[in-house]
Amino acid sequence: MDDDTAIRALYDRYRRPLFGYVLRSVGGDHQYAEDIVQETMARAWAHAAELDPDRAGRWLFTVARNLVISGRRKRAARVTEVAIEGREFAAPGDDIDRVLQAWQVAEVLRGLSHDHLQVIVELFYRRRTVAEAAVVLGIPPGTVKSRSYYALHALRAALEERGVTGS
């Protein structure tokens, strides 16, 4: 795949999720969010030979996050404000860690066998009971329990290898 095709694939796949993430990160400033997304894609173009469009999401979100942080620092350096003593204000939440962790979990889930993935989806994403999942999947409840045990064990091990820990 040539660089132009790779960048188009990245843009088509990640522009909307990136824009949504950046828009929340910059407090709803549409133009600034679009500028960040464009700069992120420009940096992706510079690294096109190294990026696989199917696995570039984490890299793109990290670049976008760094651009947002850099922009905040530049703006803070230009603005001189007097601190309000005696009051503390909550900092806006930064969802990038949650987003990156979700990407890693999704990648690990793709590595599960089809049978294990089906059980995980039924039990944890569709929130079915063991009995309900057994009926939907057409397998005995004991098999649902066994598959969920081994699937969760495999997920835990794969996530620990990647440094993702439960919080």
Side-chain angles (χ1 to χ4, degrees), residues 14-81:
Y14 295 107
R15 189 196 76 76
R16 292 185 91 169
L18 266 175
F19 181 75
Y21 167 71
V22 172
L23 186 62
R24 286 187 304 275
S25 297
V26 298
D29 185 340
H30 285 267
Q31 185 59 50
Y32 187 53
E34 189 62 43
D35 290 345
I36 295 286
V37 171
Q38 291 302 323
E39 179 61 25
T40 301
M41 289 300 169
R43 291 183 184 196
W45 180 70
H47 293 88
E50 306 160 26
L51 292 175
D52 173 11
D54 293 330
R55 300 191 181 272
R58 190 176 326 142
W59 186 89
L60 291 168
F61 276 86
T62 300
V63 169
R65 177 179 185 248
N66 290 340
L67 289 170
V68 168
I69 290 169
S70 177
R72 284 182 186 157
R73 287 180 182 153
K74 286 178 185 173
R75 287 181 180 180
R78 282 187 248 139
V79 177
T80 336
E81 294 182 10

Side-chain angles (χ1 to χ4, degrees), residues 122-143:
E122 293 302 323
L123 293 176
F124 297 99
Y125 288 95
R126 295 195 176 128
R127 299 194 180 273
R128 298 189 197 276
T129 65
V130 170
E132 292 168 339
V135 170
V136 169
L137 297 172
I139 57 177
T143 304

Side-chain angles (χ1 to χ4, degrees), residues 109 112 115-127 137 147-149 151-152 155:
L109 282 171
L112 289 178
D115 291 339
H116 288 158
L117 181 59
Q118 280 185 315
V119 168
I120 294 297
V121 167
E122 293 302 323
L123 293 176
F124 297 99
Y125 288 95
R126 295 195 176 128
R127 299 194 180 273
L137 297 172
R147 287 181 185 173
S148 68
Y149 172 82
L152 290 173
L155 280 172

